[in-house]
């Protein structure tokens, strides 16, 4: 698939469009495909190392305390991982706000790419302070990028009813997973087998390559990508700056007091972030819903969108444990050889994107084939199926967990099968969710509602983070089975009330 994508990057003439296209889609999709691929290469490379690096040298590692990492327990590592991912997606909301009101999507992506590079370089410097600084910078930069890249993809098409739109987002999704597939094999191998910090430095290089490509290819993007839809007035700028400085001062005084009192622990940072990750999405949706400038149809669509938001939160709560609970299980309780080949546990992080690249074209073709026959499942049915599949994957996960309870190393094929089930659900929910967000977003909140979509990930990860902070053992079969049950029940609820949700979607199908 990687070779075919490289060929696709060469523009082709099509009689239908009279211009250069990328797999029959606007040429700008190639530019956005490539920067997203390199940004995901840097992001997923660091993600593949994160939990393993945190527990290396600690009581839950298999290296006997000699691994050169930060030596944390698995519970603390999962909590930090969950909060870090929550921050990335939480910051997608202000990222969308910057795109809508300050810099425009294109400039926001350029600035954010530089921040991501700085974050990975900070991670490349040994030491706990630089590690957490690097996490903060990568989260900030990734959050700024996410909503604006997806918005620019939507801007390439002729409105919500363009029949190429879902297919375009699916191709874009392949770019995400091409970078995510290569990253653990390159960055994971270098970091886990040679030097942790050299691996983090390679992630910075990947982001630099993506930025250069983006700057070269901006001429193919929609002109709307460089405009600010609703720019801040001068007084609004001063007001936002004043509020930001006040909150910054309050936080600085509060945490200075905590440190001086000698009561500081990492939970003083983790708990507020996880609570904000649950409170902010609700507050944002309420604020948009109560905006009197929205038309009646826009108000109705926002009401319908809340269903998709809640469903996605449940989905990502389980799915994102692929890099935490499942990553720790892979490192400690899974055999590291298959068919005679020995490999680092970070390679498991390449399984999902590999399956995405193999299966996404099939799903894209399937949706179009069914659409031509007026038999394509609508968005609600796709979401319901995605939730049932993610729940089923954790029911399967219970089996190898029980097998490994006596110290037995289970076959890697168990995790591969779990990723296969999760990938099937992901392809029914994630690219479709991106597309339906751009379709249902009020014009005033185009980038911001895309940020709200990513806040669903924040909400799901914050639930996981709070459970870990509270001492819940997420690696226990009972908790895994409970999460699986919750996902299946959520899928059945979406299916049961699908007619109500479809009525709220108005002209979106």
């Amino acid at each position: 698939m990687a070779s075919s994508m490289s060929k696709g990057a060469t523009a082709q003439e099509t009689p239908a469009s009279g211009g250069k296209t990328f797999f029959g889609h606007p040429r700008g999709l190639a530019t956005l495909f490539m920067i997203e691929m390199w940004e995901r290469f840097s992001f997923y490379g660091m993600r593949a190392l994160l939990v393993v690096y945190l527990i290396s040298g600690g009581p839950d590692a298999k290296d006997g305390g000699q691994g050169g990492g930060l030596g944390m327990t698995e519970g603390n590592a999962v909590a930090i991982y969950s909060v870090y991912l929550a921050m990335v997606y939480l910051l997608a909301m202000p990222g969308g706000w910057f795109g809508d009101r300050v810099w425009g999507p294109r400039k926001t992506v350029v600035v954010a790419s530089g921040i991501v590079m700085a974050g990975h370089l900070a991670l490349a410097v040994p030491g706990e302070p630089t590690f957490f600084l690097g996490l903060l910078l990568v989260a900030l930069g990734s959050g700024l990028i996410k909503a604006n890249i997806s918005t620019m993809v939507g801007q390439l098409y002729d409105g919500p009813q363009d029949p190429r739109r879902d297919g375009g987002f699916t191709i874009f999704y392949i770019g995400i997973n091409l970078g995510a597939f290569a990253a653990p094999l390159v960055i994971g191998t270098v970091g886990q087998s040679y030097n942790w910090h050299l691996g983090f430095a390679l992630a910075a290089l990947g982001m630099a390559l993506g930025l250069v490509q983006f700057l070269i290819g901006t001429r193919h993007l929609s002109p709307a990508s460089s405009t600010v839809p609703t720019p801040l007035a001068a007084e609004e700028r001063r007001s936002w700056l004043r509020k930001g400085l006040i909150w910054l001062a309050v936080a600085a005084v509060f945490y200075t007091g905590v440190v001086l009192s000698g009561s500081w622990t990492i939970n003083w940072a983790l708990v507020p972030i996880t609570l904000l990750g649950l409170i902010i999405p609700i507050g944002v949706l309420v604020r948009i819903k109560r905006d009197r400038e929205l038309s009646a149809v826009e108000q109705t669509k926002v009401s319908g969108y809340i269903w998709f938001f809640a469903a996605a939160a449940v989905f990502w709560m389980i799915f994102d444990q692929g890099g935490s609970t499942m990553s720790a299980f892979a490192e400690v309780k899974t055999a590291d050889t298959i068919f005679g080949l020995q490999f680092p546990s970070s390679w498991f992080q390449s399984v999902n994107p590999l399956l995405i690249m193999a299966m996404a074209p099939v799903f894209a073709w399937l949706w179009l084939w069914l659409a031509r026959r007026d038999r394509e499942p609508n968005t609600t049915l796709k979401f319901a199926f995605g939730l049932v599949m993610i729940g089923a994957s954790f029911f399967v996960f219970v089996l190898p967990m029980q097998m490994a309870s006596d110290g037995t190393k289970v076959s890697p094929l168990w995790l591969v099968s779990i990723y296969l089930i999760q990938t099937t659900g992901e392809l029914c929910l994630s690219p479709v969710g991106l597309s339906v967000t751009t379709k249902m977003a009020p014009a005033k909140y185009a980038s911001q509602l895309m940020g709200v979509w990513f806040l669903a990930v924040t909400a799901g990860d914050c639930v996981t983070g709070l459970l870990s902070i509270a001492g819940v053992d997420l690696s226990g079969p009972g908790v895994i089975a409970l999460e699986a049950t919750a996902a299946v029940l959520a899928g059945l609820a979406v299916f049961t009330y699908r007619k109500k949700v479809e009525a709220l979607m108005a002209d979106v199908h």
Side-chain angles (χ1 to χ4, degrees):
M1 178 56 69
S3 61
S4 66
M5 294 310 300
S6 299
K7 293 176 182 177
T10 303
Q12 302 169 345
E13 290 287 339
T14 61
S17 66
K20 296 180 177 180
T21 66
F22 180 68
F23 287 111
H25 292 266
R27 183 65 178 85
L29 184 62
T31 298
L32 299 174
F33 175 99
M34 292 298 290
I35 188 172
E36 185 70 357
M37 181 190 74
W38 283 113
E39 190 271 333
R40 294 290 88 183
F41 175 85
S42 68
F43 178 84
Y44 280 99
M46 189 273 284
R47 179 180 182 265
L49 294 178
L50 184 54
V51 168
V52 182
Y53 173 68
L54 289 172
I55 66 174
S56 180
D60 295 329
K62 68 177 183 181
D63 53 33
Q66 305 299 317
L70 295 187
M72 296 184 179
T73 64
E74 182 180 326
N76 285 340
V78 170
I80 290 172
Y81 167 89
S82 300
V83 171
Y84 161 69
L85 276 191
M87 284 180 60
V88 169
Y89 293 98
L90 179 64
L91 290 167
M93 188 66 223
W97 182 85
F98 265 86
D100 279 345
R101 309 217 60 192
V102 182
W103 291 330
R106 191 182 300 186
K107 182 178 179 180
T108 302
V109 166
V110 172
V111 174
S113 298
I115 296 173
V116 169
M117 288 170 54
H120 287 303
L121 290 174
L123 289 168
V125 179
E128 191 168 309
T130 53
F131 174 80
F132 284 106
L133 174 62
L135 280 189
L136 177 62
L137 290 174
V138 174
L140 175 61
S142 296
L144 287 170
I145 287 174
K146 294 192 75 62
N148 290 286
I149 285 280
S150 298
T151 296
M152 286 191 284
V153 172
Q155 290 172 339
L156 296 173
Y157 297 95
D158 299 326
Q161 305 306 325
D162 191 323
R164 302 171 299 169
R165 195 182 186 94
D166 278 10
F169 272 100
T170 300
I171 292 174
F172 176 70
Y173 210 61
I174 295 174
I176 294 174
N177 287 281
L178 187 60
F181 166 73
L185 303 180
V186 178
I187 296 173
T189 300
V190 171
Q192 200 170 355
S193 303
Y194 297 97
N195 183 281
W196 296 111
H197 303 287
L198 180 58
F200 294 134
L202 285 176
L205 177 61
M207 189 68 257
L209 292 173
L211 178 58
V212 169
Q213 181 278 146
F214 181 77
L215 293 173
I216 293 172
T218 51
R219 66 185 183 277
H220 299 299
L221 302 178
S222 167
S225 67
S226 60
T227 63
V228 183
T230 54
L232 287 173
E235 179 54 36
E236 285 182 295
R237 284 178 177 268
R238 287 191 291 269
S239 175
W240 277 103
L241 180 61
R242 185 165 55 248
K243 291 176 182 177
L245 291 175
I246 290 173
W247 280 108
L248 181 62
V250 170
V253 170
F254 176 78
Y255 281 105
T256 298
V258 171
V259 171
L260 293 177
S261 69
S263 59
W264 167 261
T265 67
I266 192 64
N267 284 350
W268 280 103
L270 299 182
V271 173
I273 293 173
T274 53
L275 292 176
L276 284 173
L278 294 173
I279 295 170
I280 289 177
I282 297 172
V284 171
L285 285 169
V286 169
R287 180 175 61 84
I288 294 176
K289 187 73 177 67
R290 296 178 63 184
D291 189 338
R292 295 182 179 179
E293 294 183 8
L294 300 184
S295 67
V297 172
E298 288 177 323
Q299 290 277 4
T300 298
K301 288 181 179 178
V302 173
S303 297
Y305 186 75
I306 292 173
W307 280 82
F308 296 116
F309 175 89
V314 174
F315 181 91
W316 296 117
M317 176 187 70
I318 293 178
F319 184 89
D320 275 347
Q321 290 184 59
S324 57
T325 307
M326 290 179 65
S327 179
F329 186 87
E331 170 69 4
V332 179
K333 298 181 179 180
T334 305
D336 59 1
T337 58
I338 186 170
F339 304 129
L341 172 68
Q342 188 172 18
F343 56 92
S345 62
S346 56
W347 281 23
F348 280 107
Q349 300 302 307
S350 288
V351 175
N352 168 256
L354 176 63
L355 292 171
I356 287 287
M357 289 187 291
M359 296 167 63
V362 177
F363 272 72
W365 169 84
L366 177 64
W367 300 145
L368 286 174
W369 184 81
L370 290 172
R372 292 191 191 103
R373 289 156 179 77
D374 198 28
R375 299 182 65 181
E376 180 185 7
N378 58 32
T379 302
T380 53
L381 290 176
K382 291 175 183 177
F383 263 68
F385 185 73
L387 284 166
V388 170
M389 292 303 289
I390 199 70
S393 74
F394 259 33
F395 278 126
V396 174
F397 192 20
V398 170
L399 299 177
M401 277 190 161
Q402 292 177 328
M403 293 169 61
S405 61
D406 61 355
T408 301
K409 294 289 184 72
V410 303
S411 168
L413 294 178
W414 277 107
L415 291 184
V416 172
S417 66
I418 294 167
Y419 284 123
L420 175 62
I421 299 169
Q422 291 185 347
T423 301
T424 303
E426 182 186 5
L427 284 169
C428 290
L429 185 142
S430 190
V432 176
L434 285 171
S435 183
V436 79
T437 299
T438 63
K439 292 177 182 179
M440 296 179 71
K444 181 180 178 180
Y445 295 104
S447 290
Q448 290 184 60
L449 200 67
M450 186 58 69
V452 170
W453 166 253
F454 293 121
L455 286 180
V457 186
T458 296
D461 287 331
C462 283
V463 172
T464 305
L466 282 174
L467 290 173
S468 298
I469 293 167
V472 175
D473 182 11
L474 292 177
S475 62
V479 175
I480 294 298
L482 188 61
E483 292 182 79
T485 301
V488 171
L489 290 176
L492 293 175
V494 171
F495 178 79
T496 302
Y497 292 98
R498 65 190 183 280
K499 296 298 183 183
K500 178 179 179 179
V501 178
E502 291 162 13
L504 293 171
M505 294 172 69
D507 59 339
V508 176
H509 301 290

